[in-house]
Amino acid sequence: MKMFEKNKEKMKEKMEPDKVLRFAIVAVILLFLIGALIIGTRMMNPRVDATEGVKKLTELEDANVQKIDAQIQELEQTEADEATAWKAKSAKEKMDGCIVLGDSTALGFRQNDILSKSQVKSKDGATVSDAEGSGLNELLTAVTEAETAPQKLILCIGRGDVAVSGETADAFAANYKSFVEQVKAALPDTKVYVCSIPAYLSLTSTGDATGSADSDTDSDSDAKDTTDNSDSKSSTDSKSSTDSKSSTDSKSSTDSKSSTDSKSNSDTSSDESSLSKMSTALDVTSYNEALKALCKEEKVKYVDTTDLTDASYFGEDGSTMTKAYYEACINKILEAAFRNYVIQ
C-alpha cells in the first residue's frame, strides 16, 4: 500500500512538467491563430492612402468653383443683355401679347399712340356698375373670342363709375369684384392687373388747373361822346344840337347798358365754367383704397398710379390726361407686369 502511494506520487511529480508544457503549447498555438487572424483581416482590408484622394477632391472642388463662377458670370451677362434689349424696345413691343381694357382712360393709350389699336379694348363711358349696358361686357367678349388669349390683361376702369354713377366706394368695389371674377373665369390662363383710378387735380375756385387764378380781361370799351356844340347860334341849331345831344346820350346810355349786361353775362358764364370744372375735381382716394383691398382678396396685381399728379400730366380742366401722363402710366404698368426688368 505504501509502495503504491509512493509510485503515485512519483508519477504525479513526473506529469506536472508535461502539463505546463502542454499549456504553453496551447497558448502559443492560440497566439499564432490570433496573429494569423489579424494579419488575414488586414490583408483582406488593406488601409487606403487617402492623401492622393484628398488631393484629387481639392482639384475637383477648385475646378467646380471656377466653372460655377463662369456660369454665374455668363448668366449675369445674359440678363444684362436682355435688360438692354428690353429698354431699347417701344412700349408697343414690350406690351406684345398684352391688352389694356377699360373706359376712356384706356382709350388714351391708343389716342396718344402709346399702344396700338389691337392692344387696347376700350369704350368711353364703360363702367363696372353697368357692365352690360355700358358695353364693358362686350369688350370682354371681344377679348375672349380672339384667336389667342392675352398673356396679361390690364383693367383701366372706374372714372365713369366715380364721376357718373355716384356709387359709394364699397358698392363700386363690389361691382368691380364681380367683373374681375368674370374675367378670371373667361380667361383662366391670363394674368390680371387692376390700375388705380387716375387722380383729379385739385382745382382753384376759378377753375385753374395749375393752381393760379384766372385773369379776366375786360374787352368792353367806354362809349365815346361825339357831340359837337361849337355851332349852337340859332334856336334851330340849338334844337338840333339838343336833339343830337339827346340822341347821343340815349345811344351812350344804351351802349353802356349793353356793355354792363355783356360783362355781367361774361362773368356769369365764367362762374358757370368754374363750377363745371369744380364738379370734376372728385376725390378718388376711397375708391382706390377699395380697389387695393379687392386686388389683395382676388390675388391680382394692383397698379398704383396715384402719385401721377403733376400738373403737366393734366389738361386745363384738371381731369383730362396728357400724353406725358400716359407715358408715365405705361411705365407703371410695365414695372408691375415685367418686374424682371428695370424700367426707365
Side-chain angles (χ1 to χ4, degrees):
M1 187 70 178
K2 288 183 179 181
M3 181 63 71
F4 177 74
E5 290 180 355
K6 189 175 180 180
N7 290 333
K8 187 178 179 182
E9 286 290 335
K10 286 181 179 181
M11 289 179 66
K12 188 176 180 182
E13 289 175 0
K14 188 178 180 179
M15 291 174 65
E16 191 68 32
D18 292 340
K19 186 177 179 181
V20 173
L21 180 61
R22 285 197 300 272
F23 180 79
I25 292 172
V26 170
V28 170
I29 293 172
L30 287 173
L31 289 173
F32 177 76
L33 291 173
I34 292 171
L37 181 63
I38 292 172
I39 292 171
T41 302
R42 289 187 176 181
M43 290 180 67
M44 292 176 65
N45 299 284
R47 187 178 230 179
V48 178
D49 185 0
T51 305
E52 191 65 26
V54 170
K55 182 179 179 181
K56 288 183 177 180
L57 287 173
T58 303
E59 291 175 353
L60 287 173
E61 183 179 355
D62 292 340
N64 287 337
V65 169
Q66 292 175 0
K67 185 177 180 180
I68 291 171
D69 285 342
Q71 290 175 340
I72 291 174
Q73 291 177 5
E74 184 179 351
L75 287 173
E76 289 177 344
Q77 185 60 48
T78 300
E79 290 178 355
D81 292 342
E82 289 178 351
T84 301
W86 170 264
K87 291 177 185 178
K89 291 181 178 181
S90 66
K92 294 176 184 177
E93 293 173 316
K94 293 174 182 177
M95 290 289 285
D96 184 38
C98 306
I99 289 179
V100 176
L101 184 148
D103 52 22
S104 59
T105 302
L107 181 61
F109 286 105
R110 181 166 61 84
Q111 290 177 331
N112 288 281
D113 198 32
I114 305 298
L115 298 176
S116 64
K117 184 177 180 180
S118 63
Q119 292 173 319
V120 179
K121 300 297 180 184
S122 62
K123 186 173 183 180
D124 191 9
T127 64
V128 294
S129 59
D130 184 14
E132 181 64 35
S134 65
L136 188 60
N137 284 348
E138 183 181 348
L139 294 175
L140 179 58
T141 299
V143 174
T144 56
E145 291 182 350
E147 185 176 346
T148 305
Q151 299 173 9
K152 304 174 191 293
L153 184 68
I154 297 88
L155 302 180
C156 292
I157 319 167
R159 272 205 155 190
D161 293 272
V162 175
V164 179
S165 69
E167 288 188 329
T168 63
D170 290 340
F172 165 71
N175 289 325
Y176 210 122
K177 179 179 179 180
S178 297
F179 185 70
V180 168
E181 291 175 346
Q182 186 179 345
V183 170
K184 290 166 70 176
L187 301 166
D189 298 324
T190 298
K191 291 185 178 180
V192 181
Y193 299 80
V194 173
C195 286
S196 61
I197 303 171
Y200 290 88
L201 288 187
S202 179
L203 307 181
T204 64
S205 59
T206 56
D208 181 14
T210 62
S212 61
D214 287 337
S215 59
D216 293 329
T217 303
D218 188 359
S219 60
D220 295 327
S221 59
D222 294 334
K224 183 178 180 181
D225 187 359
T226 57
T227 305
D228 184 3
N229 294 323
S230 58
D231 296 323
S232 302
K233 295 182 180 178
S234 64
S235 60
T236 303
D237 291 339
S238 177
K239 185 176 183 299
S240 176
S241 175
T242 301
D243 292 341
S244 176
K245 184 175 185 305
S246 175
S247 174
T248 301
D249 290 342
S250 176
K251 185 176 184 301
S252 176
S253 176
T254 301
D255 290 345
S256 178
K257 185 176 185 299
S258 175
S259 174
T260 302
D261 291 342
S262 176
K263 190 174 186 305
S264 176
N265 289 335
S266 176
D267 291 342
T268 302
S269 176
S270 177
D271 290 341
E272 287 176 354
S273 177
S274 298
L275 291 174
S276 176
K277 291 180 180 180
M278 284 297 293
S279 67
T280 65
L282 303 175
D283 184 9
V284 297
T285 304
S286 60
Y287 293 87
N288 282 327
E289 288 299 324
L291 274 186
K292 187 185 294 186
L294 165 64
C295 290
K296 185 176 182 180
E297 180 182 349
E298 290 294 322
K299 294 181 174 56
V300 298
K301 183 69 179 178
Y302 176 71
V303 183
D304 191 352
T305 64
T306 55
D307 61 336
L308 301 181
T309 56
D310 188 270
S312 64
Y313 292 148
F314 296 86
E316 292 183 356
D317 60 359
S319 62
T320 305
M321 287 86 76
T322 63
K323 184 174 183 177
Y325 173 87
Y326 284 100
E327 289 173 340
C329 187
I330 197 64
N331 276 349
K332 293 273 187 180
I333 293 172
L334 288 169
E335 189 174 7
F338 302 93
R339 296 186 68 86
N340 292 339
Y341 299 98
V342 178
I343 310 301
Q344 292 183 349

